[in-house]
Amino acid sequence: MNTTEAARLPVHPGEDPWTPRELAEVRDRLESEVASQREKVQETEEEVAERLQDPVEGAGDDPADTGAKAFQREHDLALAYNTRDLLAEGERAIERMDAGTYGVCESCGQAIGKARLQVFPRATLCVTCKQREERR
């Protein structure tokens, strides 16, 4: 993104406009997180698939062992789902950068705020809308 495009992204009053360097830093961080999350999801899915295909997995286990293994499998799947959600949020943030809509609140259309996005680059809501969402 060039200087003009970066400077067009919305910011709160009193915040300096985005610079291409600042936006590149946020994008690099997002891309790194996305790559790491893709890897984690793939590893977890492969581990779960291996356990499910093992015909002797759990043979001879007592009920407590069976329960513990089921709990661990559910835990692993929950982590994979959470990681998959973070992955989708990161990919969506990058898509919004490419579309020039990064930093626009998806609820009210106002600026999310540069400082908020630098800390939490996957944010899609401004602080006010996020607080309203969490109260529901």
Side-chain angles (χ1 to χ4, degrees):
M1 191 171 266
N2 66 37
T3 304
T4 305
E5 292 170 335
R8 283 191 196 139
L9 293 176
V11 295
H12 283 153
E15 288 183 323
D16 292 329
W18 283 95
T19 66
R21 182 174 179 226
E22 290 169 331
L23 200 57
E25 288 172 359
V26 171
R27 185 185 189 102
D28 288 346
R29 194 167 110 210
L30 280 167
E31 288 175 344
S32 175
E33 289 174 6
V34 163
S36 174
Q37 289 159 347
R38 276 191 188 124
E39 213 172 278
K40 286 179 187 175
V41 167
Q42 184 177 353
E43 287 172 6
T44 303
E45 289 174 347
E46 287 172 1
E47 288 174 14
V48 170
E50 282 176 21
R51 280 189 234 136
L52 291 174
Q53 291 177 356
D54 186 356
V56 294
E57 173 75 20
D61 284 352
D62 65 25
D65 289 338
T66 302
K69 287 180 181 178
F71 176 80
Q72 184 62 47
R73 186 171 41 253
E74 290 298 318
H75 177 74
D76 291 345
L77 288 173
L79 288 176
Y81 291 138
N82 289 342
T83 303
R84 194 176 287 127
D85 288 344
L86 289 173
L87 170 62
E89 289 174 7
E91 289 172 335
R92 202 159 128 230
I94 293 168
E95 289 169 4
R96 292 179 64 179
M97 283 180 182
D98 293 341
T101 59
Y102 187 69
V104 178
C105 177
E106 290 183 346
S107 180
C108 70
Q110 299 298 310
I112 292 173
K114 180 178 168 182
R116 175 168 166 74
L117 289 168
Q118 287 175 319
V119 173
F120 185 66
R122 294 180 308 276
T124 59
L125 300 174
C126 66
V127 172
T128 304
C129 291
K130 185 64 176 174
Q131 288 172 337
R132 189 176 320 121
E133 178 188 80
E134 289 176 352
R135 278 190 227 122
R136 291 181 193 164

